[in-house]
Amino acid sequence: MTLYLGIDTSAYTTSLAIVDEQAELVYENRKILTVPEGERGLAQSAALFQHVQNLPQLVTAVPPQYWEKVSALGVSTAPRPIQESYMPVFLPGYGVAAAMASARCIPLVETSHQEGHLAAGIASSKLKEPHFLAIHISGGTTELLEVHHTQPGKLDIQLLGGTTDLHAGQFVDRVGVRLGLPFPAGKSLEELARQADPGAAAWLPSAVRGFEVSFSGVETAAQRLIDQGKNPADVARAVEGCIVRTLGKLLQAGMEKTTLSEILIVGGVASNQFIRQELKKRLARHANLHWAEPDWSRDNAIGVALLALEKVRGCII
């Protein structure tokens, strides 16, 4: 059995994953970075330091019998596959992966965090179309993408639109922390919103102009709801409802521009079940929505390992 190992060190998660030649997940481990209570994020220097601490733990935890079968390593080295894309948090992962690949005399495949998300989404949703629209929604990204998957280990991505200020995940986290939820707030906000009045989903407007969306104004409006003493569950549901309407309008613009109807939705915010259900209701007649499995939507190294597999084998899985 030949194995392929991937490493990803994103803004808030240290991840390691191993897949086999059939693109099946063999082993996976990740560690969410620690954010002090009440804080809404980490400085890059603090996140980088935690990755330096976490990576030896994740590497040591890999079952020993897998190491002799690893024939290539993949690693994310940047947020997006464009030249100016850079974040220091990806340096520790690259350093560890490069050292291991050199010591083992095996190939090192460099990719991006965004391509890893998309690859994990393609694999877990069983999307077969090589040309599709994608929405990447997380704490660090809210982007509408046109994607061609025609090269092994590489995704050709064109940015069509996205946020002009806050990302969807930042919107969730800022409101969630204000409601007393732990950071990152996605899971807790989703659980809280299950107790909401159904009508609360319509409380906040969406701000969409063509291919540009904004969350800063509605985040301020959500904070006002909290100041007014509104039920926290209703405020949480209002945030989810706003995201649904925003993404629905953005995707509609993308479908009209490209005539594409195959849509892949990835990123941590995409794991929210209410958002999934409501987007399906809005777009089911016009689009085929493909979702990464919830646990594969959040930051992970699975897609990075899969891209290493593709690149080394020279074929799209």
Side-chain angles (χ1 to χ4, degrees):
M1 179 172 60
T2 302
L3 302 178
Y4 302 83
L5 186 148
I7 291 176
D8 182 77
T9 50
S10 65
Y12 296 106
T13 309
T14 315
S15 306
L16 181 150
I18 300 174
V19 300
D20 64 18
E21 285 187 305
Q22 285 70 49
E24 295 292 332
L25 182 62
V26 172
Y27 175 83
E28 197 255 341
N29 196 0
R30 66 186 88 166
K31 187 173 178 63
I32 297 175
L33 306 189
T34 302
V35 177
E37 185 176 352
E39 295 294 321
R40 301 189 301 189
L42 287 171
Q44 283 283 298
S45 58
L48 187 151
F49 181 66
Q50 289 194 46
H51 284 310
V52 171
Q53 295 177 304
N54 292 343
L55 281 165
Q57 299 174 33
L58 295 190
V59 170
T60 302
V62 174
Q65 66 268 25
Y66 291 150
W67 285 112
E68 63 182 19
K69 300 169 185 175
V70 172
S71 64
L73 282 162
V75 62
S76 56
T77 60
R80 302 170 184 81
I82 52 178
Q83 188 171 0
E84 62 268 25
S85 183
Y86 169 76
M87 285 176 66
V89 287
F90 292 99
L91 294 174
Y94 172 75
V96 168
M100 289 195 297
S102 178
R104 296 283 310 282
C105 296
I106 58 178
L108 177 66
V109 177
E110 297 181 31
T111 187
S112 69
H113 179 71
Q114 186 169 75
E115 288 172 284
H117 264 301
L118 292 169
I122 291 169
S124 65
S125 69
K126 310 301 182 185
L127 174 62
K128 299 300 181 184
E129 294 295 326
H131 185 199
F132 55 91
L133 285 176
I135 283 272
H136 182 186
I137 43 174
S138 67
T141 308
T142 298
E143 293 183 341
L144 174 66
L145 312 167
E146 183 176 355
V147 183
H148 289 83
H149 187 200
T150 56
Q151 301 179 57
K154 180 67 179 173
L155 297 173
D156 180 14
I157 301 171
Q158 179 184 355
L159 176 64
L160 297 179
T163 181
T164 58
D165 41 56
L166 292 182
H167 300 295
Q170 288 177 303
F171 178 30
V172 169
D173 289 332
R174 290 188 179 191
V175 176
V177 170
R178 179 72 193 285
L179 290 171
L181 304 176
F183 182 98
K187 281 186 176 181
S188 299
L189 185 132
E190 181 177 4
E191 292 175 5
L192 178 62
R194 294 192 182 111
Q195 306 167 34
D197 183 283
W203 281 7
L204 294 172
S206 59
V208 182
R209 180 177 295 178
F211 289 97
E212 294 184 347
V213 304
S214 171
F215 287 112
S216 62
V218 290
E219 188 257 338
T220 300
Q223 298 286 359
R224 282 199 297 268
L225 293 176
I226 298 173
D227 292 337
Q228 294 166 7
K230 298 296 185 182
N231 181 1
D234 290 341
V235 176
R237 179 50 53 85
V239 168
E240 292 178 328
C242 174
I243 292 173
V244 167
R245 289 188 296 280
T246 300
L247 297 181
K249 293 176 182 178
L250 185 60
L251 282 169
Q252 191 64 49
M255 289 188 289
E256 291 173 1
K257 177 180 175 65
T258 65
T259 71
L260 294 170
S261 59
E262 300 294 328
I263 298 173
L264 177 67
I265 305 178
V266 301
V269 178
S271 65
N272 182 292
Q273 293 300 310
F274 177 83
I275 292 175
R276 290 185 177 219
Q277 293 164 8
E278 293 303 308
L279 271 180
K280 288 176 183 177
K281 291 177 184 177
R282 286 176 171 266
L283 300 173
R285 292 184 179 181
H286 311 289
N288 297 318
L289 298 182
H290 304 269
W291 304 82
E293 291 293 331
D295 205 38
W296 290 36
S297 291
R298 304 178 186 95
D299 285 355
N300 64 78
I302 303 169
V304 174
L306 291 170
L307 290 169
L309 162 64
E310 283 194 358
K311 185 70 173 180
V312 171
R313 290 183 58 187
C315 62
I316 296 173
I317 55 177

